[in-house]
Each structure stands twice: as structure tokens, then as C-alpha cells.
Amino acid sequence: MQIMNNVYEHYDVVIIGGGLGGLVSGNYLAKAGKKVLLAEQHFQPGGCCTSFKRKGFTFDAGGHFFGSFGEKGFLRKIIQDLELEDKIKFKEAEPSDYLVFPDFTVKIVRDLSHIEQQLKSIFPDEEEGITKFLSYLKTFNYTMSFRIKDKTFREILDSFFRDEKIKAVFDVLLLYIGLPSKQMSAVAGIILFRDFILDGGYYPLGSMQNFSNMLAQQMEKFGGTVMLSTKVEKINIEENKVTGITLKDGRIIQSDYVISNADANQTFLDMIGEEHLEQKFVTRLKEMEPSVSHFNVYLGIKSEAVENLAVKGNTWYVPEYDIEKIYNKMRTNPFHENGFIHIAFPSFYDESLSPEGHESIFLTILAPFKNVSYWKEQKESLSQLLIERAEHIIPELSQNIVVKEISTPQTIYRYTLNSQGANYGWAMKNSQVSRLRLNQKSPVKGLYLAGHWTLPGAGLATVAQSGYTAAKMILEDTH
């Protein structure tokens, strides 16, 4: 991978953004013989799938697991298509998640029958609903989605269950793509459960960054070019057709096609400009709502702090059952006293991420996008609150911390340029999913979209799928 290396004047395809959507599309196009350039503004590829190192510890910036890598998973297809089986290895976490509520703990495993047994032992009055709901998730297919296209996931839960506590079990897992059930599209929620929860828990050995690096290196092996620390300033348009890009340093690179894996607002409003777009499209774009952001605390800790844990894996600590209430409070006030916390333990699955006798973990909550001065003033006190909350799971956490780093929504914005530090592109509500999300074939001829601002939606494996589809569209268009 090069930083500002020599480039040609013309490419078949230029890709803006080195997140997973851009990397996957670049690989497929380069493998097919296309002359491809990928330009990424960050100094390393990956977008939301990156890592950093501090004092011998490796911390994953955001993502903690992949889904859809089972026998029929789409991510597995991508890895096989791109000849990466020998370069990218996964460790399967089982259970993938522990959900710790005030009255009970649920282990999320791939075996549906085991989940069914757990839930029936906790909620004996919901036995029939549990069987029917899990069967519904297992057999759901895209032809069924039309019937529920206007429903929320909460309406699906209400049709199977009466007890609010069992609804909370499924509700909290939806926060993996940023919304509670009353706001989440039913289709998006079901696909999350099918492709990530019931086929999840795959950790890429070597870190999330290693996964992204392998994709970038493979793209170059196929003949593509990856440019890091290279910001695209403008997408050049003539007569409603892309002609290439202009870099921040003023260089113009011509191309027949452009794939934008970048933030949608930047793509259309900044890099293209409203004057090249229909007003109806601009109005719709400005009305769309970005997803929630995150506040993360990365900790290098002594292993003795976690040696005797009751739960040994990624954990949700949820102090109350009204997930909608917690979510709405935390969207405006990250200090909400009954807020949840997610704790990831990547070094449980890959010992190379921490020095011997230590572990690499990170704590996450949903957080609002506030200005730089707010986070500068509040980040230390909020990080301490998260550590105290995490001590419900790791009682001796505070006295065993060796390294601490913090990221705020402003940090996420700085490294990804996602509007409002959005972790999931557009919020996954009914008005912004399926046919109402931005189409991968944009209104500008020759411009295609990849990433979580377009179809299919949020999530690492889902975004990778968008890259596959964008490449396929261009390859079909050129034959």
C-alpha cells in the first residue's frame, strides 16, 4: 500500500474510501482485470474496521466480530471469491454474547435449540412464542419481507411475546446496528438476527486491522492501486456523468466509473454539489437521519482481573428492561444512570493482541454527537463512569488497568468523516431501509455507492456485501 504513489491519468474505476465496501469492490474489479484506484483519506485502510496499538496492546477501534461466515454466509463467499482463505483466519467465539440483565443471563450461541432451551427455562409461560419466533427467524426469506416492510421489529416481537423481559433480550441485540425495536425496521432486525446473531461471533485473527490490510494487499496483488492519506476533494461531472475525481492536492484523475464508499452527504453535497443533482433528491438526502455514534474506552488490563469471571466473552450489561427508554436517554445524555454498556474482550480470542499476563478490552456505549469542547471536558469523567459500570461484570477492573485510551463521536468523525460520527450510516428505520435507502446506482451516471449509507445497510458483513454488488453492477454494465 502506497502513500501518494505514482498514479495513471485514467482508470476504469476510481473508489473513494477504503472501508470494507470500497476494499471488496476494488478486489472484485481488479481481479476481473479492471484498472482500479482506491483513494483513502486515513493513513490505514478499513474505515470502521481498523485497529491501533498502545504499549504492546492492540485495540480494535469499533468492530468486534463478523457475522455471515457460516457455511452459507455471504462473507464466506467473498473470502473464497477473493482467494483469501489462507490469509484470513477466524476464531469462532461460542457463546458470541452474554446478555446480563438484573434477573438472569442469556448466552447467545449458534445452536438455536440451545437458545430455545435457555429462554424456555427463564420464561416458561412463553414456550409457544419462543418456538414460533425462533422458527420464524430461521425460515425468514426475502419473499416474506414485503409483508412486513412497514412494520417495526417491536411489532414482530409483540406478535410472539407478552413478557416485556423476553422482548428486552432480543431488543438489546438490535443495538448492534444502532436502534431499539420500536424504531428498528422489522426487515433489518430480522436480517441482523439471521446473518449476525445466529451466524456471528467470528473474530479475524491478527485484529480487525489485519483483516482490512489483507483486503488492501490482495487488491494490489490483483493489480489495483491503493492510495492512503489521500483525500478526494471533488467528483468531476460532465452532462450528468462522472469523468473522474480531483484530489485535495489538485491532481485530476480521470475514470469511467466512480464508486463512493464515503459518507453520503459528503459524496453528494460536497464532492458533487447540489447544482448537479435534482432538487427532489437533494431534499430527500437532507431529510435522512444518520445513525447513533459511540463512545469507547480501550483498556489494557492485567489478566488477573478477568481470571474468575462468571461470563467469559463479549458482554452486554443491561440494568433495566425498557431498552427504548435507555436508548432515548443515552441519545441525549451519555451519563444516564441506568445506561447499558457493552464490553468486548478481543484478546480472549487472539492472545497476540496483548502482552503476556494481560488482556485487551474495550467498553462501548451509544453517545450523541456533540462539539469538540464538550467531549474535551467530559470524556474523562464519562470514561470513569463506564469503568465503574463495567465493574458489575469485572469487579476488580479499576485496580488492574495498565493502559487507557478514549474515543468519542468526534474521534469517529475525524477518522471516518461519517456525518455526526455515525457508526451505521443512515439509521436503520423503516423510512431508510430497503427501497427507501440510497440505491447503489446513483442518479449520476457512472457513480455507484458502497458502504453503510446505501443498500443493504449497516454491519461489517453487510457493508462487504455492498462492495460485491457495486462491483458486479459495473462489471455487468461494461459487458
Side-chain angles (χ1 to χ4, degrees), residues 135-195:
S135 174
Y136 180 71
L137 290 180
K138 188 175 181 179
T139 59
F140 185 85
N141 57 58
Y142 287 106
T143 60
M144 299 163 65
S145 62
F146 183 78
R147 285 176 251 162
I148 59 169
K149 64 183 177 64
D150 297 320
K151 291 183 180 292
T152 64
F153 195 80
R154 181 65 176 205
E155 290 176 274
I156 302 298
L157 290 177
D158 288 343
S159 69
F160 287 97
F161 305 116
R162 298 176 301 278
D163 193 320
E164 294 302 315
K165 291 183 178 181
I166 193 171
K167 295 175 190 178
V169 169
F170 297 101
D171 205 339
V172 73
L173 288 166
L174 297 177
L175 298 178
Y176 269 131
I177 52 173
L179 281 178
S181 64
K182 288 182 181 178
Q183 301 177 47
M184 173 74 71
S185 150
V187 174
I190 290 167
I191 291 172
L192 170 75
F193 274 93
R194 188 193 63 195
D195 293 349

Short mmCIF file of all heavy atoms in Angstrom, two decimals, residues 135-195:
data_model
loop_
_atom_site.label_atom_id
_atom_site.label_comp_id
_atom_site.label_asym_id
_atom_site.label_seq_id
_atom_site.Cartn_x
_atom_site.Cartn_y
_atom_site.Cartn_z
N SER A 135 -38.29 -20.19 15.03
CA SER A 135 -38.56 -20.82 13.75
C SER A 135 -38.77 -19.78 12.66
O SER A 135 -38.30 -19.93 11.52
CB SER A 135 -39.80 -21.72 13.85
OG SER A 135 -40.16 -22.25 12.59
N TYR A 136 -39.45 -18.71 13.02
CA TYR A 136 -39.68 -17.59 12.08
C TYR A 136 -38.36 -16.98 11.63
O TYR A 136 -38.13 -16.73 10.44
CB TYR A 136 -40.56 -16.55 12.77
CG TYR A 136 -40.91 -15.34 11.94
CD1 TYR A 136 -41.78 -15.43 10.86
CD2 TYR A 136 -40.37 -14.09 12.24
CE1 TYR A 136 -42.11 -14.32 10.11
CE2 TYR A 136 -40.69 -12.97 11.50
CZ TYR A 136 -41.56 -13.08 10.43
OH TYR A 136 -41.89 -11.97 9.69
N LEU A 137 -37.45 -16.74 12.58
CA LEU A 137 -36.14 -16.18 12.23
C LEU A 137 -35.37 -17.12 11.31
O LEU A 137 -34.74 -16.69 10.34
CB LEU A 137 -35.31 -15.95 13.50
CG LEU A 137 -35.73 -14.82 14.45
CD1 LEU A 137 -34.76 -14.77 15.63
CD2 LEU A 137 -35.76 -13.48 13.73
N LYS A 138 -35.44 -18.41 11.61
CA LYS A 138 -34.66 -19.39 10.87
C LYS A 138 -35.16 -19.54 9.44
O LYS A 138 -34.36 -19.75 8.51
CB LYS A 138 -34.73 -20.75 11.60
CG LYS A 138 -33.81 -21.80 11.03
CD LYS A 138 -33.84 -23.06 11.87
CE LYS A 138 -32.90 -24.13 11.31
NZ LYS A 138 -32.92 -25.36 12.14
N THR A 139 -36.47 -19.44 9.22
CA THR A 139 -37.05 -19.69 7.90
C THR A 139 -37.31 -18.42 7.11
O THR A 139 -37.72 -18.48 5.95
CB THR A 139 -38.38 -20.46 8.03
OG1 THR A 139 -39.29 -19.69 8.85
CG2 THR A 139 -38.14 -21.83 8.68
N PHE A 140 -37.05 -17.26 7.70
CA PHE A 140 -37.34 -16.00 7.02
C PHE A 140 -36.53 -15.88 5.73
O PHE A 140 -35.35 -16.20 5.68
CB PHE A 140 -37.00 -14.81 7.94
CG PHE A 140 -37.38 -13.48 7.36
CD1 PHE A 140 -38.67 -12.99 7.51
CD2 PHE A 140 -36.45 -12.71 6.66
CE1 PHE A 140 -39.02 -11.75 6.97
CE2 PHE A 140 -36.80 -11.48 6.12
CZ PHE A 140 -38.09 -10.99 6.28
N ASN A 141 -37.21 -15.41 4.68
CA ASN A 141 -36.50 -15.15 3.42
C ASN A 141 -37.02 -13.85 2.82
O ASN A 141 -38.00 -13.26 3.30
CB ASN A 141 -36.68 -16.32 2.44
CG ASN A 141 -38.16 -16.61 2.15
OD1 ASN A 141 -38.88 -15.74 1.68
ND2 ASN A 141 -38.59 -17.83 2.44
N TYR A 142 -36.35 -13.40 1.78
CA TYR A 142 -36.65 -12.08 1.23
C TYR A 142 -38.07 -11.99 0.65
O TYR A 142 -38.65 -10.91 0.59
CB TYR A 142 -35.62 -11.70 0.18
CG TYR A 142 -34.28 -11.35 0.78
CD1 TYR A 142 -33.20 -12.22 0.70
CD2 TYR A 142 -34.09 -10.15 1.45
CE1 TYR A 142 -31.98 -11.91 1.26
CE2 TYR A 142 -32.87 -9.83 2.03
CZ TYR A 142 -31.81 -10.71 1.93
OH TYR A 142 -30.61 -10.39 2.50
N THR A 143 -38.64 -13.10 0.24
CA THR A 143 -40.00 -13.05 -0.29
C THR A 143 -41.01 -12.73 0.82
O THR A 143 -42.11 -12.23 0.53
CB THR A 143 -40.39 -14.39 -0.95
OG1 THR A 143 -40.32 -15.44 0.03
CG2 THR A 143 -39.45 -14.72 -2.10
N MET A 144 -40.64 -12.99 2.07
CA MET A 144 -41.52 -12.69 3.19
C MET A 144 -41.42 -11.22 3.62
O MET A 144 -42.27 -10.73 4.36
CB MET A 144 -41.17 -13.59 4.39
CG MET A 144 -41.34 -15.07 4.10
SD MET A 144 -40.47 -16.11 5.33
CE MET A 144 -41.37 -15.74 6.82
N SER A 145 -40.38 -10.54 3.17
CA SER A 145 -40.13 -9.19 3.66
C SER A 145 -41.19 -8.19 3.23
O SER A 145 -41.45 -7.21 3.94
CB SER A 145 -38.74 -8.72 3.22
OG SER A 145 -38.66 -8.64 1.82
N PHE A 146 -41.84 -8.43 2.07
CA PHE A 146 -42.84 -7.48 1.59
C PHE A 146 -43.99 -7.35 2.57
O PHE A 146 -44.54 -6.26 2.76
CB PHE A 146 -43.36 -7.91 0.21
CG PHE A 146 -44.34 -6.94 -0.38
CD1 PHE A 146 -43.90 -5.76 -0.98
CD2 PHE A 146 -45.70 -7.19 -0.33
CE1 PHE A 146 -44.81 -4.85 -1.51
CE2 PHE A 146 -46.62 -6.29 -0.86
CZ PHE A 146 -46.17 -5.12 -1.46
N ARG A 147 -44.34 -8.47 3.24
CA ARG A 147 -45.48 -8.46 4.16
C ARG A 147 -45.22 -7.63 5.41
O ARG A 147 -46.15 -7.20 6.08
CB ARG A 147 -45.81 -9.90 4.58
CG ARG A 147 -46.52 -10.71 3.52
CD ARG A 147 -46.73 -12.14 3.99
NE ARG A 147 -45.87 -13.07 3.26
CZ ARG A 147 -45.60 -14.29 3.68
NH1 ARG A 147 -46.08 -14.70 4.83
NH2 ARG A 147 -44.84 -15.07 2.96
N ILE A 148 -43.94 -7.41 5.74
CA ILE A 148 -43.64 -6.69 6.98
C ILE A 148 -42.83 -5.41 6.70
O ILE A 148 -42.21 -4.86 7.60
CB ILE A 148 -42.86 -7.59 7.96
CG1 ILE A 148 -41.55 -8.07 7.34
CG2 ILE A 148 -43.72 -8.77 8.40
CD1 ILE A 148 -40.63 -8.74 8.35
N LYS A 149 -42.85 -4.94 5.45
CA LYS A 149 -41.99 -3.82 5.06
C LYS A 149 -42.29 -2.55 5.84
O LYS A 149 -41.41 -1.69 5.98
CB LYS A 149 -42.10 -3.56 3.56
CG LYS A 149 -43.48 -3.12 3.09
CD LYS A 149 -43.52 -2.95 1.58
CE LYS A 149 -44.90 -2.59 1.09
NZ LYS A 149 -45.39 -1.29 1.58
N ASP A 150 -43.51 -2.39 6.35
CA ASP A 150 -43.86 -1.17 7.09
C ASP A 150 -43.90 -1.39 8.60
O ASP A 150 -44.27 -0.49 9.36
CB ASP A 150 -45.21 -0.63 6.60
CG ASP A 150 -45.17 -0.24 5.14
OD1 ASP A 150 -44.15 0.35 4.72
OD2 ASP A 150 -46.15 -0.52 4.41
N LYS A 151 -43.54 -2.58 9.04
CA LYS A 151 -43.60 -2.88 10.47
C LYS A 151 -42.26 -2.59 11.15
O LYS A 151 -41.20 -2.61 10.52
CB LYS A 151 -43.95 -4.36 10.69
CG LYS A 151 -45.38 -4.73 10.31
CD LYS A 151 -45.64 -6.19 10.64
CE LYS A 151 -47.07 -6.59 10.27
NZ LYS A 151 -48.05 -5.92 11.15
N THR A 152 -42.33 -2.33 12.45
CA THR A 152 -41.11 -2.24 13.25
C THR A 152 -40.81 -3.62 13.83
O THR A 152 -41.68 -4.50 13.89
CB THR A 152 -41.27 -1.25 14.41
OG1 THR A 152 -42.28 -1.75 15.31
CG2 THR A 152 -41.66 0.14 13.91
N PHE A 153 -39.59 -3.79 14.29
CA PHE A 153 -39.23 -5.07 14.91
C PHE A 153 -40.03 -5.28 16.19
O PHE A 153 -40.33 -6.42 16.56
CB PHE A 153 -37.73 -5.12 15.19
CG PHE A 153 -37.23 -6.50 15.49
CD1 PHE A 153 -36.97 -7.39 14.46
CD2 PHE A 153 -37.03 -6.93 16.79
CE1 PHE A 153 -36.51 -8.68 14.73
CE2 PHE A 153 -36.57 -8.20 17.07
CZ PHE A 153 -36.32 -9.08 16.02
N ARG A 154 -40.39 -4.19 16.84
CA ARG A 154 -41.20 -4.30 18.06
C ARG A 154 -42.54 -4.95 17.76
O ARG A 154 -43.04 -5.76 18.56
CB ARG A 154 -41.40 -2.91 18.68
CG ARG A 154 -42.22 -2.93 19.97
CD ARG A 154 -41.47 -3.67 21.06
NE ARG A 154 -42.18 -3.61 22.33
CZ ARG A 154 -41.60 -3.73 23.50
NH1 ARG A 154 -40.29 -3.92 23.58
NH2 ARG A 154 -42.29 -3.68 24.61
N GLU A 155 -43.13 -4.61 16.63
CA GLU A 155 -44.42 -5.21 16.27
C GLU A 155 -44.27 -6.71 16.05
O GLU A 155 -45.19 -7.48 16.37
CB GLU A 155 -44.97 -4.53 15.01
CG GLU A 155 -45.42 -3.10 15.23
CD GLU A 155 -45.86 -2.42 13.95
OE1 GLU A 155 -44.98 -1.88 13.24
OE2 GLU A 155 -47.07 -2.44 13.65
N ILE A 156 -43.14 -7.13 15.52
CA ILE A 156 -42.88 -8.57 15.36
C ILE A 156 -42.77 -9.23 16.74
O ILE A 156 -43.38 -10.28 16.99
CB ILE A 156 -41.59 -8.80 14.56
CG1 ILE A 156 -41.69 -8.13 13.18
CG2 ILE A 156 -41.30 -10.29 14.43
CD1 ILE A 156 -42.78 -8.67 12.30
N LEU A 157 -42.00 -8.61 17.64
CA LEU A 157 -41.87 -9.17 18.99
C LEU A 157 -43.23 -9.25 19.70
O LEU A 157 -43.54 -10.25 20.35
CB LEU A 157 -40.90 -8.31 19.82
CG LEU A 157 -39.42 -8.36 19.42
CD1 LEU A 157 -38.63 -7.40 20.30
CD2 LEU A 157 -38.86 -9.78 19.56
N ASP A 158 -44.02 -8.19 19.56
CA ASP A 158 -45.34 -8.16 20.22
C ASP A 158 -46.26 -9.26 19.70
O ASP A 158 -47.16 -9.72 20.41
CB ASP A 158 -46.01 -6.80 20.00
CG ASP A 158 -45.35 -5.69 20.81
OD1 ASP A 158 -44.60 -6.01 21.76
OD2 ASP A 158 -45.58 -4.50 20.49
N SER A 159 -46.05 -9.68 18.46
CA SER A 159 -46.92 -10.71 17.89
C SER A 159 -46.57 -12.11 18.41
O SER A 159 -47.38 -13.04 18.28
CB SER A 159 -46.83 -10.70 16.36
OG SER A 159 -45.57 -11.16 15.92
N PHE A 160 -45.40 -12.26 19.03
CA PHE A 160 -44.99 -13.55 19.55
C PHE A 160 -44.96 -13.62 21.08
O PHE A 160 -45.14 -14.69 21.65
CB PHE A 160 -43.59 -13.92 19.03
CG PHE A 160 -43.55 -14.31 17.58
CD1 PHE A 160 -43.20 -13.38 16.61
CD2 PHE A 160 -43.87 -15.60 17.19
CE1 PHE A 160 -43.15 -13.74 15.27
CE2 PHE A 160 -43.83 -15.97 15.85
CZ PHE A 160 -43.48 -15.04 14.89
N PHE A 161 -44.71 -12.47 21.74
CA PHE A 161 -44.46 -12.48 23.19
C PHE A 161 -45.33 -11.48 23.93
O PHE A 161 -45.70 -10.44 23.39
CB PHE A 161 -42.98 -12.15 23.47
CG PHE A 161 -42.00 -13.03 22.77
CD1 PHE A 161 -41.13 -12.52 21.82
CD2 PHE A 161 -41.94 -14.40 23.06
CE1 PHE A 161 -40.22 -13.34 21.17
CE2 PHE A 161 -41.04 -15.22 22.41
CZ PHE A 161 -40.18 -14.69 21.46
N ARG A 162 -45.59 -11.80 25.22
CA ARG A 162 -46.29 -10.89 26.13
C ARG A 162 -45.34 -10.27 27.16
O ARG A 162 -45.46 -9.12 27.52
CB ARG A 162 -47.42 -11.63 26.86
CG ARG A 162 -48.48 -12.18 25.94
CD ARG A 162 -49.53 -12.99 26.70
NE ARG A 162 -48.93 -14.12 27.43
CZ ARG A 162 -48.64 -15.29 26.86
NH1 ARG A 162 -48.91 -15.50 25.58
NH2 ARG A 162 -48.10 -16.27 27.56
N ASP A 163 -44.40 -11.06 27.64
CA ASP A 163 -43.50 -10.64 28.71
C ASP A 163 -42.48 -9.62 28.20
O ASP A 163 -41.74 -9.88 27.24
CB ASP A 163 -42.76 -11.87 29.26
CG ASP A 163 -42.04 -11.59 30.57
OD1 ASP A 163 -41.46 -10.50 30.71
OD2 ASP A 163 -42.05 -12.48 31.45
N GLU A 164 -42.44 -8.45 28.82
CA GLU A 164 -41.52 -7.40 28.39
C GLU A 164 -40.05 -7.79 28.59
O GLU A 164 -39.17 -7.30 27.87
CB GLU A 164 -41.81 -6.10 29.16
CG GLU A 164 -43.16 -5.49 28.86
CD GLU A 164 -43.36 -5.17 27.39
OE1 GLU A 164 -42.43 -4.60 26.78
OE2 GLU A 164 -44.42 -5.51 26.84
N LYS A 165 -39.79 -8.68 29.53
CA LYS A 165 -38.40 -9.06 29.78
C LYS A 165 -37.83 -9.90 28.64
O LYS A 165 -36.66 -9.74 28.28
CB LYS A 165 -38.30 -9.81 31.12
CG LYS A 165 -38.54 -8.91 32.33
CD LYS A 165 -38.35 -9.68 33.63
CE LYS A 165 -38.56 -8.76 34.83
NZ LYS A 165 -38.35 -9.47 36.12
N ILE A 166 -38.63 -10.79 28.07
CA ILE A 166 -38.10 -11.58 26.95
C ILE A 166 -37.96 -10.70 25.71
O ILE A 166 -37.04 -10.89 24.89
CB ILE A 166 -38.96 -12.83 26.66
CG1 ILE A 166 -38.19 -13.76 25.72
CG2 ILE A 166 -40.32 -12.46 26.08
CD1 ILE A 166 -38.83 -15.12 25.53
N LYS A 167 -38.82 -9.71 25.57
CA LYS A 167 -38.67 -8.77 24.46
C LYS A 167 -37.36 -8.01 24.59
O LYS A 167 -36.68 -7.72 23.59
CB LYS A 167 -39.85 -7.80 24.41
CG LYS A 167 -41.18 -8.45 24.10
CD LYS A 167 -42.32 -7.44 24.18
CE LYS A 167 -43.67 -8.11 24.10
NZ LYS A 167 -44.80 -7.14 24.24
N ALA A 168 -36.96 -7.70 25.82
CA ALA A 168 -35.71 -6.97 26.06
C ALA A 168 -34.49 -7.78 25.62
O ALA A 168 -33.49 -7.22 25.16
CB ALA A 168 -35.58 -6.60 27.53
N VAL A 169 -34.57 -9.11 25.73
CA VAL A 169 -33.46 -9.97 25.31
C VAL A 169 -33.15 -9.74 23.83
O VAL A 169 -31.99 -9.57 23.43
CB VAL A 169 -33.80 -11.45 25.55
CG1 VAL A 169 -32.77 -12.37 24.88
CG2 VAL A 169 -33.88 -11.74 27.04
N PHE A 170 -34.19 -9.74 23.01
CA PHE A 170 -33.99 -9.53 21.57
C PHE A 170 -33.76 -8.06 21.25
O PHE A 170 -33.03 -7.73 20.30
CB PHE A 170 -35.19 -10.09 20.81
CG PHE A 170 -35.36 -11.57 20.97
CD1 PHE A 170 -36.30 -12.09 21.84
CD2 PHE A 170 -34.55 -12.45 20.26
CE1 PHE A 170 -36.45 -13.45 22.00
CE2 PHE A 170 -34.69 -13.82 20.42
CZ PHE A 170 -35.64 -14.33 21.29
N ASP A 171 -34.38 -7.20 22.03
CA ASP A 171 -34.29 -5.76 21.79
C ASP A 171 -32.85 -5.25 21.92
O ASP A 171 -32.35 -4.51 21.08
CB ASP A 171 -35.20 -5.02 22.78
CG ASP A 171 -35.65 -3.66 22.26
OD1 ASP A 171 -34.99 -3.12 21.36
OD2 ASP A 171 -36.67 -3.16 22.77
N VAL A 172 -32.15 -5.67 22.97
CA VAL A 172 -30.82 -5.12 23.22
C VAL A 172 -29.85 -5.51 22.12
O VAL A 172 -28.95 -4.74 21.76
CB VAL A 172 -30.30 -5.55 24.61
CG1 VAL A 172 -29.89 -7.02 24.64
CG2 VAL A 172 -29.13 -4.68 25.03
N LEU A 173 -30.03 -6.67 21.51
CA LEU A 173 -29.12 -7.10 20.45
C LEU A 173 -29.25 -6.24 19.19
O LEU A 173 -28.31 -6.15 18.39
CB LEU A 173 -29.35 -8.57 20.12
CG LEU A 173 -28.87 -9.55 21.19
CD1 LEU A 173 -29.44 -10.94 20.94
CD2 LEU A 173 -27.35 -9.60 21.24
N LEU A 174 -30.40 -5.60 19.03
CA LEU A 174 -30.58 -4.72 17.87
C LEU A 174 -29.64 -3.52 17.93
O LEU A 174 -29.34 -2.89 16.90
CB LEU A 174 -32.02 -4.21 17.80
CG LEU A 174 -33.11 -5.27 17.58
CD1 LEU A 174 -34.48 -4.61 17.61
CD2 LEU A 174 -32.90 -6.00 16.26
N LEU A 175 -29.16 -3.20 19.13
CA LEU A 175 -28.26 -2.06 19.27
C LEU A 175 -26.94 -2.29 18.54
O LEU A 175 -26.15 -1.36 18.36
CB LEU A 175 -28.03 -1.74 20.74
CG LEU A 175 -29.30 -1.34 21.51
CD1 LEU A 175 -28.98 -1.09 22.98
CD2 LEU A 175 -29.96 -0.11 20.90
N TYR A 176 -26.69 -3.52 18.09
CA TYR A 176 -25.52 -3.79 17.25
C TYR A 176 -25.59 -3.01 15.94
O TYR A 176 -24.55 -2.81 15.30
CB TYR A 176 -25.40 -5.28 16.97
CG TYR A 176 -24.56 -6.02 17.97
CD1 TYR A 176 -25.02 -7.20 18.55
CD2 TYR A 176 -23.30 -5.57 18.34
CE1 TYR A 176 -24.25 -7.91 19.47
CE2 TYR A 176 -22.52 -6.26 19.26
CZ TYR A 176 -22.99 -7.43 19.82
OH TYR A 176 -22.23 -8.11 20.74
N ILE A 177 -26.79 -2.62 15.53
CA ILE A 177 -26.89 -1.73 14.37
C ILE A 177 -27.64 -0.44 14.72
O ILE A 177 -28.18 0.23 13.85
CB ILE A 177 -27.48 -2.42 13.13
CG1 ILE A 177 -28.81 -3.11 13.42
CG2 ILE A 177 -26.49 -3.38 12.52
CD1 ILE A 177 -29.49 -3.65 12.16
N GLY A 178 -27.67 -0.13 16.04
CA GLY A 178 -27.93 1.24 16.44
C GLY A 178 -29.33 1.71 16.74
O GLY A 178 -29.52 2.90 16.95
N LEU A 179 -30.32 0.83 16.81
CA LEU A 179 -31.68 1.26 17.15
C LEU A 179 -32.38 0.21 18.01
O LEU A 179 -32.14 -0.98 17.84
CB LEU A 179 -32.53 1.48 15.89
CG LEU A 179 -32.37 2.77 15.09
CD1 LEU A 179 -33.29 2.72 13.88
CD2 LEU A 179 -32.67 4.00 15.93
N PRO A 180 -33.28 0.65 18.91
CA PRO A 180 -34.12 -0.30 19.64
C PRO A 180 -35.30 -0.76 18.77
O PRO A 180 -35.55 -0.19 17.70
CB PRO A 180 -34.60 0.52 20.84
CG PRO A 180 -34.65 1.92 20.32
CD PRO A 180 -33.54 2.04 19.33
N SER A 181 -36.03 -1.75 19.25
CA SER A 181 -37.03 -2.41 18.41
C SER A 181 -38.18 -1.51 17.98
O SER A 181 -38.74 -1.69 16.90
CB SER A 181 -37.59 -3.64 19.14
OG SER A 181 -38.27 -3.26 20.33
N LYS A 182 -38.56 -0.54 18.81
CA LYS A 182 -39.69 0.33 18.44
C LYS A 182 -39.36 1.26 17.28
O LYS A 182 -40.25 1.81 16.64
CB LYS A 182 -40.16 1.15 19.65
CG LYS A 182 -40.87 0.32 20.71
CD LYS A 182 -41.35 1.18 21.87
CE LYS A 182 -42.05 0.35 22.93
NZ LYS A 182 -42.48 1.16 24.10
N GLN A 183 -38.06 1.44 17.01
CA GLN A 183 -37.64 2.31 15.91
C GLN A 183 -37.01 1.52 14.76
O GLN A 183 -36.89 2.03 13.65
CB GLN A 183 -36.64 3.34 16.43
CG GLN A 183 -37.20 4.22 17.55
CD GLN A 183 -36.17 5.18 18.10
OE1 GLN A 183 -35.47 5.86 17.35
NE2 GLN A 183 -36.06 5.25 19.42
N MET A 184 -36.63 0.29 15.01
CA MET A 184 -35.92 -0.52 14.02
C MET A 184 -36.88 -1.13 12.99
O MET A 184 -37.92 -1.68 13.34
CB MET A 184 -35.18 -1.65 14.75
CG MET A 184 -34.52 -2.68 13.85
SD MET A 184 -33.04 -2.08 13.04
CE MET A 184 -31.92 -1.97 14.44
N SER A 185 -36.50 -1.06 11.74
CA SER A 185 -37.23 -1.75 10.68
C SER A 185 -37.29 -3.25 11.00
O SER A 185 -36.29 -3.86 11.39
CB SER A 185 -36.50 -1.54 9.35
OG SER A 185 -36.68 -2.63 8.48
N ALA A 186 -38.47 -3.85 10.84
CA ALA A 186 -38.63 -5.28 11.10
C ALA A 186 -37.71 -6.10 10.20
O ALA A 186 -37.06 -7.05 10.66
CB ALA A 186 -40.08 -5.69 10.90
N VAL A 187 -37.65 -5.75 8.92
CA VAL A 187 -36.81 -6.49 7.98
C VAL A 187 -35.35 -6.40 8.39
O VAL A 187 -34.63 -7.40 8.43
CB VAL A 187 -37.02 -5.97 6.55
CG1 VAL A 187 -36.03 -6.66 5.59
CG2 VAL A 187 -38.44 -6.20 6.09
N ALA A 188 -34.88 -5.18 8.71
CA ALA A 188 -33.48 -5.00 9.11
C ALA A 188 -33.15 -5.80 10.36
O ALA A 188 -32.08 -6.41 10.48
CB ALA A 188 -33.19 -3.53 9.33
N GLY A 189 -34.08 -5.80 11.32
CA GLY A 189 -33.85 -6.53 12.56
C GLY A 189 -33.77 -8.03 12.35
O GLY A 189 -32.90 -8.71 12.91
N ILE A 190 -34.64 -8.56 11.52
CA ILE A 190 -34.65 -10.00 11.27
C ILE A 190 -33.37 -10.42 10.54
O ILE A 190 -32.76 -11.44 10.86
CB ILE A 190 -35.90 -10.40 10.46
CG1 ILE A 190 -37.14 -10.26 11.36
CG2 ILE A 190 -35.78 -11.82 9.93
CD1 ILE A 190 -38.45 -10.33 10.62
N ILE A 191 -32.95 -9.61 9.57
CA ILE A 191 -31.72 -9.93 8.84
C ILE A 191 -30.52 -9.87 9.78
O ILE A 191 -29.60 -10.69 9.68
CB ILE A 191 -31.56 -8.98 7.64
CG1 ILE A 191 -32.64 -9.29 6.60
CG2 ILE A 191 -30.16 -9.11 7.02
CD1 ILE A 191 -32.70 -8.32 5.45
N LEU A 192 -30.52 -8.91 10.71
CA LEU A 192 -29.44 -8.85 11.70
C LEU A 192 -29.37 -10.15 12.48
O LEU A 192 -28.29 -10.73 12.66
CB LEU A 192 -29.66 -7.68 12.66
CG LEU A 192 -28.72 -7.66 13.88
CD1 LEU A 192 -27.33 -7.21 13.47
CD2 LEU A 192 -29.26 -6.76 14.98
N PHE A 193 -30.51 -10.61 12.97
CA PHE A 193 -30.51 -11.85 13.77
C PHE A 193 -30.07 -13.05 12.93
O PHE A 193 -29.28 -13.88 13.38
CB PHE A 193 -31.90 -12.10 14.37
CG PHE A 193 -32.11 -11.39 15.67
CD1 PHE A 193 -32.69 -10.13 15.70
CD2 PHE A 193 -31.69 -11.96 16.86
CE1 PHE A 193 -32.87 -9.46 16.91
CE2 PHE A 193 -31.85 -11.30 18.06
CZ PHE A 193 -32.45 -10.04 18.09
N ARG A 194 -30.55 -13.12 11.72
CA ARG A 194 -30.24 -14.29 10.88
C ARG A 194 -28.77 -14.32 10.47
O ARG A 194 -28.12 -15.36 10.52
CB ARG A 194 -31.13 -14.26 9.63
CG ARG A 194 -31.04 -15.52 8.79
CD ARG A 194 -31.67 -15.31 7.44
NE ARG A 194 -30.94 -14.28 6.69
CZ ARG A 194 -31.41 -13.69 5.59
NH1 ARG A 194 -32.61 -14.00 5.16
NH2 ARG A 194 -30.71 -12.78 4.95
N ASP A 195 -28.23 -13.15 10.07
CA ASP A 195 -26.89 -13.12 9.48
C ASP A 195 -25.78 -12.77 10.47
O ASP A 195 -24.61 -13.04 10.19
CB ASP A 195 -26.85 -12.10 8.34
CG ASP A 195 -27.70 -12.52 7.15
OD1 ASP A 195 -28.15 -13.68 7.13
OD2 ASP A 195 -27.94 -11.68 6.26
#
